[in-house]
């Protein structure tokens, strides 16, 4: 998911380089072994799909787009990660991918696996304009939270990016 405005960061986080690659490329590479395909949400000019129903809905707009794209392509679930998490732990992604139900990482709720059958429910939830958060959505569909003990690097500022040197979860 790469549709955010990166206000705290000050520039396009998805394209900022870390260890010679864009952050989004690190995330796509981490997800690839656990997925049949990777779709970029919130980036129509880069071969991705737009947030749904429109930009500016936060992570739920990206998740909603992903759920619909998965359902249209015949996939049962989507494994979702934000573009600003370049060091995603493979064991965590494997645990999420192995889950039979919708679940998310308690410490970083934008990271999770969601059943594409919830696409129409997500449309209704977003349209209702209630609590527009991933935690609110998760509670709405009774998704399970997974506690992950190791830190997950999440880049929200230039200082966060600078702090990745030597960060090994």
């Amino acid at each position: 998911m790469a549709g955010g405005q990166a206000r705290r960061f000050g520039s396009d986080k998805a394209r900022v380089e870390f260890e010679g690659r864009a952050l989004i490329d690190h995330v796509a590479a981490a997800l690839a072994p656990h997925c049949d395909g990777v779709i970029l949400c919130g980036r129509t000019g880069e071969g991705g799909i737009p947030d749904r129903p429109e930009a500016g809905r936060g992570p739920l707009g990206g998740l909603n787009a992903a759920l619909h794209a998965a359902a249209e392509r015949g996939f049962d679930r989507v494994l979702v990660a934000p573009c600003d998490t370049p060091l995603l732990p493979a064991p965590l992604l494997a645990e999420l991918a192995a889950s039979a139900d919708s679940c998310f990482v308690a410490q970083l709720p934008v990271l999770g696996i969601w059943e594409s059958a919830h696409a129409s429910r997500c449309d209704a939830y977003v349209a209702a304009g209630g609590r527009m958060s991933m935690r609110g959505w998760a509670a709405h569909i009774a998704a399970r939270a997974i506690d992950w003990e190791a830190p997950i690097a999440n880049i929200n500022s230039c200082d966060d990016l600078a702090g990745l040197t030597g960060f090994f979860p």
Side-chain angles (χ1 to χ4, degrees):
M1 295 188 358
Q5 297 177 7
R7 285 185 210 106
R8 289 177 286 179
F9 195 80
S11 67
D12 184 1
K13 283 193 291 187
R15 293 290 161 214
V16 168
E17 287 202 7
F18 170 66
E19 296 184 345
R21 290 191 311 182
L23 293 179
I24 192 70
D25 294 335
H26 284 276
V27 174
L31 291 174
H34 307 281
C35 302
D36 291 328
V38 177
I39 295 175
L40 184 58
C41 297
R43 296 278 175 142
T44 56
E46 299 179 39
I49 60 175
D51 287 349
R52 185 180 173 130
E54 63 208 4
R57 297 295 181 126
L60 276 177
L63 175 61
N64 197 16
L67 291 173
H68 282 274
E72 290 164 8
R73 291 167 173 83
F75 293 106
D76 295 332
R77 304 173 308 148
V78 293
L79 180 59
V80 177
C83 70
D84 56 3
T85 54
L87 300 175
L88 291 170
L92 173 57
L93 295 176
E95 182 177 340
L96 288 168
S99 177
D101 58 349
S102 292
C103 61
F104 63 97
V105 177
Q107 302 88 315
L108 187 64
V110 74
L111 178 58
I113 192 156
W114 307 91
E115 297 163 81
S116 61
H118 291 306
S120 61
R121 286 183 74 186
C122 194
D123 272 339
Y125 184 82
V126 171
R131 187 171 169 213
M132 298 302 292
S133 72
M134 293 298 285
R135 289 185 200 284
W137 163 249
H140 182 73
I141 63 165
R144 182 171 49 91
I146 292 175
D147 284 316
W148 186 257
E149 297 301 321
I152 300 169
N154 182 233
I155 309 305
N156 288 307
S157 69
C158 293
D159 288 342
D160 291 341
L161 183 60
L164 283 186
T165 305
F167 183 96
F168 295 100

